[in-house]
């Protein structure tokens, strides 16, 4: 009976891991879609050129299609798919978010310099 319980515990753990990975992948896909659509105040979609928009939109559609056609995918397959989507989308997002962060830092630096002028 204990052996049987241990066997089910292993199966439960594998199921939980797969469910968590599927949820993580779906959340990533949704966040990319929201970014492109400009949902929740995210203006990334306005900064993207047509090619970047197609790349991210294509990755989103590919991810959704893959999830729909692979409901029983193993954990490693799900990880690989997320890494594939991230490889397509992350460089684009990082490029635009990096530019925004640099712009904010430049504004913050000039304000900081203004404050030092009073000395």
């Amino acid at each position: 009976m204990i052996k049987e319980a241990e066997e089910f515990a292993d199966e439960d753990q594998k199921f939980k891991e797969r469910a968590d990975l599927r949820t993580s992948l779906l959340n990533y896909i949704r966040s990319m879609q929201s970014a492109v659509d400009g949902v929740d105040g995210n203006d990334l979609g306005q900064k993207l050129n047509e090619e970047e928009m197609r790349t991210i939109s294509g990755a989103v559609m590919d991810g959704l299609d893959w999830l729909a056609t692979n409901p029983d995918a193993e954990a490693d397959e799900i990880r690989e798919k997320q890494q594939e989507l991230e490889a397509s989308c992350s460089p684009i997002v990082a490029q635009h978010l990096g530019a925004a962060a640099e712009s904010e830092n430049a504004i913050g630096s000039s304000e900081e310099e203004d404050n030092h002028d009073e000395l």
Side-chain angles (χ1 to χ4, degrees):
M1 187 168 200
I2 292 174
K3 187 175 185 177
E4 196 173 287
E6 289 173 354
E7 183 179 314
F8 288 128
D10 288 341
E11 288 179 29
D12 290 346
Q13 180 61 31
K14 287 179 184 177
F15 180 82
K16 182 183 181 321
E17 180 183 21
R18 284 182 36 235
D20 290 346
L21 288 168
R22 286 183 67 83
T23 300
S24 176
L25 176 55
L26 185 57
N27 287 340
Y28 182 78
I29 292 168
R30 286 183 178 156
S31 72
M32 288 297 98
Q33 185 65 51
S34 295
V36 168
D37 291 344
V39 176
D40 296 330
N42 191 330
D43 64 346
L44 179 62
Q46 296 172 352
K47 298 175 183 177
L48 300 175
N49 64 39
E50 194 172 314
E51 182 181 339
E52 293 168 331
M53 186 79 77
R54 275 195 309 267
T55 299
I56 292 177
S57 294
V60 165
M61 292 305 300
D62 178 51
L64 291 173
D65 289 344
W66 188 88
L67 281 171
T69 58
N70 294 285
D72 297 324
E74 294 297 322
D76 289 339
E77 295 171 311
I78 300 167
R79 274 191 208 95
E80 286 175 24
K81 189 62 179 179
Q82 183 156 352
Q83 290 171 349
E84 177 186 320
L85 296 180
E86 289 174 352
S88 296
C89 299
S90 292
I92 296 169
V93 173
Q95 175 186 357
H96 291 283
L97 292 180
E102 287 176 17
S103 175
E104 288 177 16
N105 285 341
I107 292 170
S109 294
S110 67
E111 289 175 359
E112 193 174 293
E113 288 174 9
D114 290 343
N115 291 338
H116 291 292
D117 287 343
E118 294 174 9
L119 297 175

